[in-house]
Structure formats: structure tokens, C-alpha cells
């Protein structure tokens, strides 16, 4: 997961306002100016990564900036990592013949947040439908990336999934921690 985050970072750039004059490596940034941090480019820095343009799933010391750093480090990073680990393990287990099918992946037209618009794939074989018939229904609240990934993973495991945009759409039929 770490190498995939480095190689194709979801956040490509971020910016910050300079609060007071600061000089870094001989360059002065005056108060009130903005500084852009190109995280995607930093994750391809040859001074930090050997062969940075090569996807190396066994890469050691992978100190990437896919989730930012310092006080602005992404709070959702542990969940995103876990979802990635579960997603790739589930795909490998459930769809062992999964392969790219077609042209290069298509990305959304967004300068800051990198994400796939389309990725054509093919596979053969499906899970035993009788094994999947006994799974209880699941409701996912939130249609953001985490909610949709979770819904996809549960659906891949055979759970009937319904995604709700917001908690109020459930009409009070769900209470926290109480079935």
C-alpha cells in the first residue's frame, strides 16, 4: 500500500499562507504570500527514492508524503491504509485473474486531488453464490471515498449493501451500537 501511495499520490499539491517573513535555502517568502507544496513531485524525488518513476512494491524506507506531514498530517491516514490493505487483499483473493483491459487508466480532471475516472479491468470466475446468500444486509452512511470503498469491499464479500448520503436518510431506524 505504501508504494502505491508514493507512486500515485492521491493529494498532488497543497498550499499554505506565509504568516511572517521566512527564508528557506536562500529564498525569502514574505508574510501574506502563498507557498505551494507539490507532494506528488516530492514522492518522485530521486534524492529520496532510487528509481522514483518505477513502481517497486518491495521498496524499503518508503517515507512518502502522500498524507502530508507535521500538524497537517491526514487524520484519516490509518483508515485509508487499512482500507487499501483490505481492498488489495480482497481483490487478490476473490479475483485472482484480475488484469488491466484496455487503454491507460483515465484520471479525473483535478489539479489537487488525483483519482481514477476509469480503469478497465477483466477477470474470470466468481465466488460461489450459495456461500454469499447468507450475508446480512449492511448500510453505509456517507458516499465519500471511504464510504464507497467500504461498500465495494463488503459487496465483493457478498454482503447486500445500501449507501446513504447522510445519517438522516436512514429515518431513525439505526441507532449507534444497537441493532
Amino acid at each position: 500500500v505504501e508504494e502505491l501511495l508514493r507512486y500515485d499520490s492521491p493529494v498532488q499539491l497543497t498550499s499554505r499562507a506565509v504568516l511572517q517573513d521566512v527564508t528557506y535555502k536562500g529564498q525569502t517568502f514574505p508574510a501574506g504570500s502563498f507557498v505551494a507544496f507539490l507532494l506528488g513531485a516530492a514522492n518522485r524525488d530521486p534524492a529520496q527514492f532510487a528509481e522514483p518513476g518505477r513502481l517497486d512494491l518491495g521498496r524499503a524506507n518508503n517515507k512518502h508524503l502522500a498524507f502530508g506531514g507535521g500538524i497537517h498530517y491526514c487524520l484519516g491516514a490509518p483508515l485509508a491504509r487499512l482500507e487499501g490493505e483490505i481492498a488489495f487483499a480482497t481483490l487478490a483473493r476473490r479475483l485472482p485473474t484480475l488484469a488491466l483491459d484496455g487503454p491507460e487508466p483515465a484520471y479525473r480532471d483535478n489539479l489537487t486531488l488525483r483519482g481514477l475516472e476509469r480503469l478497465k479491468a477483466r477477470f474470470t470466475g466468481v465466488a460461489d453464490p450459495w456461500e454469499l446468500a447468507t450475508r446480512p444486509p449492511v448500510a453505509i452512511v456517507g458516499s465519500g471515498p471511504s464510504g464507497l470503498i467500504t461498500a465495494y469491499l463488503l459487496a465483493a464479500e457478498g454482503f447486500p449493501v445500501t449507501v446513504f448520503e447522510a445519517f438522516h436518510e436512514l429515518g431513525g431506524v439505526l441507532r449507534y451500537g444497537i441493532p
Side-chain angles (χ1 to χ4, degrees):
V1 172
E2 297 305 314
E3 176 66 356
L4 294 172
L5 288 166
R6 180 204 68 84
Y7 186 78
D8 201 9
S9 299
V11 177
Q12 292 292 299
L13 70 91
T14 187
S15 62
R16 299 287 180 262
V18 178
L19 300 178
Q20 61 188 27
D21 290 357
V22 64
T23 301
Y24 180 74
K25 293 191 176 187
Q27 176 68 45
T28 300
F29 301 95
S33 62
F34 284 87
V35 178
F37 300 94
L38 304 176
L39 302 178
N43 286 335
R44 298 290 186 104
D45 183 356
Q48 177 69 27
F49 302 100
E51 298 182 76
R54 184 172 68 88
L55 180 65
D56 178 3
L57 297 177
R59 188 180 299 275
N61 288 331
N62 197 337
K63 297 178 181 175
H64 61 77
L65 296 173
F67 294 117
I71 64 170
H72 295 286
Y73 187 75
C74 177
L75 280 173
L79 177 60
R81 283 187 170 99
L82 180 61
E83 288 175 340
E85 290 170 13
I86 292 169
F88 294 121
T90 300
L91 285 171
R93 187 178 79 254
R94 298 294 301 261
L95 303 173
T97 63
L98 184 65
L100 293 177
D101 185 27
E104 290 290 316
Y107 287 88
R108 291 180 293 165
D109 188 20
N110 189 314
L111 183 62
T112 304
L113 301 174
R114 185 169 172 84
L116 289 170
E117 180 177 295
R118 182 180 66 254
L119 176 67
K120 293 186 75 173
R122 68 180 185 291
F123 63 92
T124 56
V126 294
D128 179 3
W130 294 109
E131 171 197 342
L132 303 178
T134 60
R135 305 293 169 96
V138 176
I140 302 292
V141 179
S143 62
S146 296
L148 292 177
I149 289 170
T150 303
Y152 175 80
L153 294 175
L154 288 169
E157 287 297 314
F159 288 89
V161 176
T162 303
V163 177
F164 295 92
E165 288 288 328
F167 187 76
H168 70 270
E169 286 188 61
L170 291 170
V173 299
L174 180 71
R175 291 174 288 177
Y176 292 107
I178 302 171

